[in-house]
Amino acid sequence: MNHSLKPWNTFGIDRHARQVVHAENAIQLLNVWQQATSENLPVLILGEGSNVLFLEDYSGVVLINRLKGIEVSELPDAWLLHVGAGENWHSLVKYTLEKGMPGLENLALIPGCTGSSPIQNIGAYGVELQRVCAYVDCIELSTGLQKRLSAEECRFGYRDSIFKHEYQDRYVIVAVGLKLAKAWHPVLSYGDLTRLDPQTVTPQQVFDAVCHMRITKLPDPKVNGNAGSFFKNPVINSTAAEKLLAAFPSAPHYPQADGSVKLAAGWLIDQCQLKGARVGGAMVHRHQALVLINEDNATSDDVVALARYVRQQVGEKFDVWLEPEVRFIGAQGEVNAVEVIA
């Protein structure tokens, strides 16, 4: 257990693993997985560790997916991109804009690798990955067989996909296919973007505005370890929403196509006056209540206790029970985060 995981989680939590291996290609990745499995060791595949909390030392092999490459082809109405799972997501967003292929600008500065993006169905400022995803290429770890899933087969939901369920430990994502329409339509429904003029705005202006919002509102993981938004924005049924909005008319809320209503977790936490709340070295960020930070050599126990406290406070005030967006990793692999903090 002498391999530090501190460089491999943006929370900066000091846990260890039996082994950490970088995989530059699919064959190497498969070989490492199959070797570890033959020794009955668990394997955790990571991109940049931007959405994980290590609860304890990991008893197996942490495999860093570094499969690179961006290939671009063209249709009359769209650009098609085939992107290696190990490519940095924000670098990809910048690359597409520089090449005159807009469509990803709302997703700027989301930390992590491209291969992680379908797992969470990453989203920000009114756009989710499923809007632009054409397919996901993965490999069945036990057999080495390649498989291409269409966007529909990925079963994307809010911060959810098939990769968090049946495919979780059986497949590794090796590439993501994106389809960016040439007829660009800006999405300006959130935050500072609502002030931009849809008739004249450029993709670069949307990108710049998104970067500005993220930099000014979210802490830099290099300064204060964090995993971005710690909790999902809760989605509640229409009856519960009516009751909540009657009591709190100013609550931000976003009606969904199925009649449910999405709430802003950050607002709920903020209404409980929890900005700056601390447990040990973990703290609720003073500017963005949705982010829990490693303020002062926090342990994972500190983060879990703080998350539990936040969930309890919000639950008691609003009867809305928050669920972590961050993946909790135990000694043998991922565990149910809600059960840990319930």
Side-chain angles (χ1 to χ4, degrees):
M1 287 291 178
N2 57 351
H3 292 267
S4 174
L5 291 171
K6 201 166 184 176
W8 301 112
N9 71 102
T10 57
F11 250 119
I13 299 291
D14 194 14
R15 293 293 190 184
H16 292 78
R18 180 186 289 257
Q19 197 178 359
V20 177
V21 181
H22 290 64
E24 308 289 339
N25 57 60
I27 293 170
Q28 186 187 6
L29 195 150
L30 274 174
N31 286 344
V32 172
W33 188 89
Q34 288 170 354
Q35 173 67 33
T37 305
S38 71
E39 297 172 19
N40 291 318
L41 294 174
V43 183
L44 177 69
I45 299 171
L46 279 187
E48 293 178 3
S50 61
N51 199 47
V52 294
L53 176 66
F54 286 104
L55 302 180
E56 50 197 324
D57 288 344
Y58 188 69
S59 61
V61 179
V62 172
L63 188 48
I64 308 297
N65 185 336
R66 283 293 171 266
L67 278 66
K68 296 291 185 81
I70 302 174
E71 298 164 24
V72 181
S73 56
E74 215 170 322
L75 294 173
D77 63 340
W79 293 282
L80 301 176
L81 285 84
H82 181 85
V83 187
E87 291 285 350
N88 175 270
W89 176 262
H90 180 63
S91 297
L92 171 66
V93 176
K94 286 200 294 185
Y95 170 87
T96 57
L97 278 183
E98 286 162 7
K99 299 291 183 185
M101 300 181 291
L104 301 181
E105 55 284 334
N106 292 56
L107 303 176
L109 275 182
I110 293 180
C113 286
T114 299
S116 306
S117 64
I119 300 173
Q120 287 285 108
N121 184 23
I122 59 169
Y125 303 109
V127 174
E128 288 184 320
L129 180 81
Q130 68 184 78
R131 178 188 175 99
V132 293
C133 182
Y135 59 81
V136 176
D137 283 352
C138 50
I139 294 176
E140 188 172 29
L141 290 159
S142 59
T143 63
L145 292 173
Q146 290 234 25
K147 188 169 185 177
R148 173 166 290 184
L149 296 186
S150 67
E152 192 175 34
E153 289 170 319
C154 291
R155 296 218 312 266
F156 289 125
Y158 173 58
R159 300 295 173 271
D160 199 27
S161 71
I162 196 170
F163 304 106
K164 294 182 91 170
H165 303 284
E166 301 96 295
Y167 277 42
Q168 186 175 40
D169 297 315
R170 294 171 45 217
Y171 288 83
V172 59
I173 294 170
V174 293
V176 177
L178 302 174
K179 184 177 182 179
L180 303 179
K182 291 183 178 177
W184 179 69
H185 299 289
V187 178
L188 307 173
S189 49
Y190 281 75
D192 297 350
L193 299 181
T194 57
R195 298 181 201 144
L196 299 174
D197 182 350
Q199 302 304 316
T200 59
V201 70
T202 66
Q204 187 65 44
Q205 287 170 332
V206 176
F207 173 88
D208 292 342
V210 167
C211 289
H212 177 75
M213 284 189 287
R214 292 191 78 95
I215 288 166
T216 53
K217 292 178 182 175
L218 298 172
D220 183 348
K222 295 182 185 72
V223 180
N224 289 117
N226 72 87
S229 300
F230 193 90
F231 296 100
K232 298 177 187 177
N233 287 322
V235 179
I236 60 177
N237 65 42
S238 56
T239 309
E242 278 177 36
K243 184 179 169 187
L244 187 142
L245 290 168
F248 303 95
S250 62
H253 59 286
Y254 308 95
Q256 305 297 293
D258 62 1
S260 63
V261 177
K262 186 190 288 185
L263 305 173
W267 185 89
L268 298 172
I269 297 166
D270 197 13
Q271 295 305 299
C272 298
Q273 271 100 44
L274 290 174
K275 283 179 179 170
R278 282 185 71 151
V279 173
M283 187 175 83
V284 179
H285 191 244
R286 289 193 173 91
H287 301 297
Q288 171 49 274
L290 194 51
V291 180
L292 307 187
I293 63 171
N294 182 349
E295 171 72 0
D296 183 19
N297 294 315
T299 65
S300 49
D301 290 345
D302 294 341
V303 178
V304 167
L306 180 60
R308 183 180 293 125
Y309 177 70
V310 169
R311 184 177 192 264
Q312 197 65 35
Q313 294 296 304
V314 170
E316 287 173 9
K317 186 177 179 75
F318 296 102
D319 197 26
V320 173
W321 298 88
L322 299 178
E323 298 185 6
E325 185 175 311
V326 175
R327 299 167 62 202
F328 284 22
I329 311 296
Q332 297 289 315
E334 188 164 357
V335 297
N336 186 312
V338 175
E339 288 177 4
V340 173
I341 67 168

